[in-house]
Amino acid sequence: DQQVKQNSPSLSVQEGRISILNCDYTNSMFDYFLWYKKYPAEGPTFLISISSIKDKNEDGRFTVFLNKSAKHLSLHIVPSQPGDSAVYFCAATDDKIIFGKGTRLHILP
Amino acid sequence: EAQVTQNPRYLITVTGKKLTVTCSQNMNHEYMSWYRQDPGLGLRQIYYSMNVEVTDKGDVPEGYKVSRKEKRNFPLILESPSPNQTSLYFCASSFAGREAFFGQGTRLTVV
């Protein structure tokens, strides 16, 4: 039973356009949500997070939106750049940290 | 430099031969955890520790042991490795399970 779901295994976006990565969760006890980025042969790196008391958090080109009623969060990357090509993991936490399966983002030239 | 260091980076071993993967962090984080990454399954938490001498099972703890005798170290122990434990393993540390720093990974093959 997946508590954190990333339903799109991959996504291709033109350079300069907006990338939107989606994540759904089932456990209403999660109080903190995070996005990580992972390149091949490297460990995941933290990208951006949001507390359950907020609905938006922005950091440069990256914005995370949280819709608690829908149990849905999304990561927006604007504008998308070639270096954004990577696997993105959504994660949710109460004490344990539960990751989604990841979405591979390809930025097309 | 803030970092999480795992050793070894690569390991090939035989079924049943006990092994330990070490993890050390230099950020004085209370929270440390181990994950395995498998194709199509994402990152799954094996064990986590909220502080010294406090450890808890994650989602896939079977076949693994951990210990947290010091704040900076969190070794992962496979007492009797089996081929289904062939995977890519990551150690991570953070304050209170929030934004985590990950190690570079350990690719383990059990034959």
Side-chain angles (χ1 to χ4, degrees):
Chain A
D1 179 29
Q2 274 185 267
Q3 295 189 63
V4 178
K5 298 179 187 178
Q6 293 178 257
N7 290 320
S8 299
S10 68
L11 176 68
S12 295
V13 174
Q14 209 76 35
E15 182 179 353
R17 305 292 286 266
I18 182 171
S19 296
I20 300 176
L21 295 95
N22 293 304
C23 179
D24 297 297
Y25 63 95
T26 57
N27 186 346
S28 57
M29 298 302 292
F30 288 140
D31 60 356
Y32 205 78
F33 304 88
L34 310 100
W35 286 93
Y36 289 86
K37 177 179 180 179
K38 186 180 181 304
Y39 294 119
E42 294 183 13
T45 54
F46 168 72
L47 199 54
I48 192 169
S49 61
I50 188 166
S51 164
S52 60
I53 62 172
K54 294 188 172 182
D55 55 17
K56 178 182 174 181
N57 188 26
E58 193 170 352
D59 184 2
R61 296 186 298 115
F62 303 92
T63 303
V64 57
F65 295 91
L66 176 62
N67 182 333
K68 281 203 318 184
S69 61
K71 294 192 176 69
H72 177 83
L73 65 155
S74 60
L75 173 68
H76 293 212
I77 307 173
V78 180
S80 300
Q81 297 176 354
D84 296 331
S85 293
V87 176
Y88 290 79
F89 290 99
C90 168
T93 178
D94 42 19
D95 282 337
K96 293 183 181 181
I97 303 175
I98 309 295
F99 282 83
K101 293 185 178 181
T103 296
R104 185 176 298 279
L105 177 64
H106 300 272
I107 304 302
L108 306 170
Chain B
E1 180 191 351
Q3 58 184 11
V4 177
T5 304
Q6 293 179 228
N7 280 297
R9 292 289 311 277
Y10 302 92
L11 179 60
I12 301 174
T13 190
V14 295
T15 299
K17 185 176 181 183
K18 181 180 178 180
L19 66 93
T20 299
V21 184
T22 63
C23 175
S24 179
Q25 51 97 0
N26 63 359
M27 294 164 280
N28 203 35
H29 286 160
E30 292 94 1
Y31 192 105
M32 296 185 74
S33 53
W34 277 101
Y35 300 86
R36 59 180 288 175
Q37 184 186 9
D38 301 290
L41 296 176
L43 286 160
R44 293 181 293 167
Q45 194 175 45
I46 301 170
Y47 269 95
Y48 65 100
S49 168
M50 299 178 86
N51 216 323
V52 176
E53 303 291 2
V54 179
T55 62
D56 268 304
K57 295 177 181 179
D59 287 327
V60 288
E62 295 78 20
Y64 304 95
K65 283 176 55 177
V66 292
S67 69
R68 189 90 182 272
K69 292 184 170 42
E70 313 164 88
K71 201 171 191 179
R72 62 183 289 123
N73 295 322
F74 191 45
L76 178 70
I77 303 154
L78 284 73
E79 294 270 4
S80 183
S82 61
N84 65 11
Q85 292 178 298
T86 293
S87 188
L88 179 58
Y89 291 87
F90 291 101
C91 178
S93 76
S94 64
F95 285 117
R98 300 305 199 198
E99 293 78 359
F101 288 79
F102 280 80
Q104 290 284 81
T106 295
R107 187 167 291 282
L108 172 66
T109 302
V110 183
V111 298

